[in-house]
Amino acid sequence: TRIDRWFLAKLQNIVRMSKQVETTENGLYGLNKEMMKKLKIAGFSDLAIADLCNVDEIAVRRRRINDFGITPFVKQIDTL
């Protein structure tokens, strides 16, 4: 096919991370801070993580913010 290998590698990473979350013991509470941070950097939404852990989005948000201190931020890019 003519699908870029970079794109395929990114998709493979998403699938691998999804499977890792799905097979984590204790669901959401089996995820550590490092894994949560990797998921967020990879672009997983709280809702996507919630679906993989079979919990609601609010539970993921509370765990991310209250337990791990991971909050969203936007980097400002200077285009001048």
Side-chain angles (χ1 to χ4, degrees):
T1 69
R2 292 184 177 193
I3 299 173
D4 191 289
R5 291 191 185 277
W6 175 87
F7 182 73
L8 292 174
K10 294 297 180 185
L11 284 176
Q12 184 179 27
N13 186 46
I14 290 168
V15 170
R16 182 186 52 77
M17 291 177 82
S18 295
K19 287 181 181 178
Q20 188 175 1
V21 172
E22 286 178 326
T23 59
T24 299
E25 289 187 35
N26 299 323
L28 177 61
Y29 296 95
L31 297 178
N32 60 24
K33 182 177 181 175
E34 179 183 336
M35 184 60 182
M36 182 69 78
K37 189 171 182 177
K38 284 181 182 180
L39 289 166
K40 296 306 288 182
I41 289 171
F44 283 78
S45 66
D46 289 344
L47 181 59
I49 297 168
D51 287 343
L52 292 170
C53 294
N54 296 315
V55 297
D56 65 8
E57 182 180 8
I58 300 301
V60 174
R61 184 170 293 124
R62 282 187 188 134
R63 178 123 169 99
R64 176 177 53 80
I65 294 171
N66 297 339
D67 296 349
F68 298 139
I70 299 172
T71 57
F73 67 94
V74 178
K75 291 183 182 181
Q76 185 175 5
I77 300 172
D78 184 11
T79 58
L80 295 178

